[in-house]
Amino acid sequence: MAADSIVGAVTTGLSAQSKDLLTAVVAAINGTATVTDVGTSTVVNGVDKSGNSTGALIAKGTGTTGTINDGSVQIGVVLPEKVGLNFAGPVKEVSAAAAVTYFKELIAAALPSTNTTTAVVENRASLENAVSLASDGQGNSLNVRVIGITNESTTGKSTDTVKLSGSATGNKEVVAINAANLAKEQTLILENLDRVVLVNDAKVQVTGGAAFVAGDNANQSISGGFGADTLVGGGGNDTLVGGYGSDIFGFVGGGTTNVGDFNKAQGDKLAIQLTGVTTNAQLISAVTAIQDTPTGMSVTFGKSGTITLVGIHIADITADMVQLSIKS
């Protein structure tokens, strides 16, 4: 269907916000657009002038359950009423280097380097670090998408399910998810998504296979599942819970990171990434305070923030439990 004929064809009964989203997506499509039904909702997608995929799921009815097919990417969705998505990314699989370049170009457009206010500089740095951590070293066949959650409900319930699923097999996905419009009471469930960059405040639960989730410097709660997960707090006030499996908890400085279930017996590790710290001696020198707590221990690195570990005390820490790079 020609892109310019879509708006009138599918907007019956849509809210003003949904119409605006649809209009913006259609305007970005260069040429033919595809319109499909996913559950009771409508997905419109196509290719923009840069040759990248762009599209949106326009929420209708009481909720959406189904699969979005967008080029090389298939994303399963379970969404409550009035929650939709917009998405974009390279049409074909790309290398890790190309994925980082794609993400950083989007970051530069949203947070230009000409803006030197402290909040913008810190947010830009946290996002660039998160996309590098999620993408670097992951090979030459990555399915890359940016997904934004749209939400017309101002009173989301904690029982509402907002779930995004990838494939349990095949090439890796690297997905950046903007959770700014997720209702405070809602949990974002990520199932079989290999590598995720989490943007803005959110409460996240990982299910399925092992996952890598790296946050920006917002305040985030990230819980792993049954796999060997890597969970990275990006510099806000973050809570990380690994669940089962041998998990890696990443600390990149800034804010406070609380690790809720550090389990030495399961092989959990702490991965620390601080500027200028590349050796154990430098790490020790960076510590400005360390103390046991009733439930574990806390370590402060001056202005670089504090990490609290629940489930382990100072006397239990051994060198092999700490690494100075975040890899998985």
Side-chain angles (χ1 to χ4, degrees):
M1 182 180 291
D4 59 5
S5 67
I6 290 174
V7 176
V10 302
T11 55
T12 302
L14 293 185
S15 67
Q17 181 177 329
S18 291
K19 288 180 181 179
D20 289 344
L21 172 61
L22 180 60
T23 300
V25 169
V26 168
I29 293 174
N30 185 30
T32 302
T34 300
V35 180
T36 55
D37 291 329
V38 175
T40 59
S41 298
T42 298
V43 170
V44 178
N45 60 328
V47 177
D48 65 17
K49 293 180 181 179
S50 299
N52 292 315
S53 175
T54 186
L57 182 149
I58 308 300
K60 296 180 179 179
T62 58
T64 306
T65 300
T67 301
I68 298 172
N69 292 296
D70 184 49
S72 62
V73 177
Q74 291 75 46
I75 300 291
V77 298
V78 179
L79 306 173
E81 183 178 8
K82 297 184 178 181
V83 174
L85 303 172
N86 55 63
F87 49 89
V91 172
K92 298 180 180 179
E93 297 164 351
V94 300
S95 67
V100 171
T101 297
Y102 173 77
F103 285 128
K104 287 189 175 181
E105 287 176 349
L106 294 180
I107 294 168
L111 302 169
S113 59
T114 52
N115 189 332
T116 58
T117 59
T118 300
V120 170
V121 170
E122 291 178 349
N123 190 205
R124 182 169 60 240
S126 73
L127 284 167
E128 289 179 346
N129 188 54
V131 300
S132 294
L133 290 174
S135 304
D136 284 346
Q138 297 305 307
N140 295 312
S141 299
L142 301 181
N143 294 311
V144 173
R145 283 297 178 274
V146 175
I147 297 176
I149 298 171
T150 61
N151 192 353
E152 296 186 47
S153 173
T154 58
T155 57
K157 301 188 296 294
S158 59
T159 54
D160 289 341
T161 297
V162 180
K163 182 178 181 180
L164 303 178
S165 303
S167 172
T169 60
N171 292 325
K172 290 182 178 179
E173 304 101 351
V174 181
V175 181
I177 301 173
N178 187 344
N181 293 319
L182 192 70
K184 183 178 180 180
E185 298 82 2
Q186 293 171 329
T187 297
L188 174 61
I189 299 174
L190 305 177
E191 180 182 55
N192 293 324
L193 287 172
D194 300 300
R195 319 281 294 187
V196 175
V197 175
L198 184 61
V199 184
N200 286 298
D201 294 354
K203 181 180 179 182
V204 171
Q205 175 66 60
V206 173
T207 65
F212 183 107
V213 183
D216 68 353
N217 64 342
N219 301 323
Q220 296 154 348
S221 174
I222 308 172
S223 297
F226 288 92
D229 302 310
T230 298
L231 311 177
V232 184
N237 294 318
D238 303 312
T239 298
L240 310 177
V241 177
Y244 295 95
S246 177
D247 302 307
I248 297 174
F249 301 101
F251 177 71
V252 300
T256 300
T257 298
N258 179 68
V259 176
D261 65 339
F262 196 95
N263 192 319
K264 182 178 181 179
Q266 288 182 180
D268 289 350
K269 294 184 182 296
L270 179 62
I272 298 176
Q273 180 194 72
L274 295 175
T275 301
V277 175
T278 59
T279 67
N280 287 338
Q282 290 171 334
L283 178 63
I284 292 170
S285 295
V287 175
T288 56
I290 182 169
Q291 62 181 355
D292 274 326
T293 68
T295 58
M297 60 178 288
S298 68
V299 185
T300 299
F301 298 93
K303 294 182 179 180
S304 294
T306 298
I307 183 165
T308 299
L309 306 177
V310 175
I312 193 166
H313 293 279
I314 296 170
D316 301 319
I317 295 291
T318 55
D320 62 327
M321 296 163 58
V322 181
Q323 59 189 48
L324 298 181
S325 63
I326 300 174
K327 297 179 181 180
S328 68

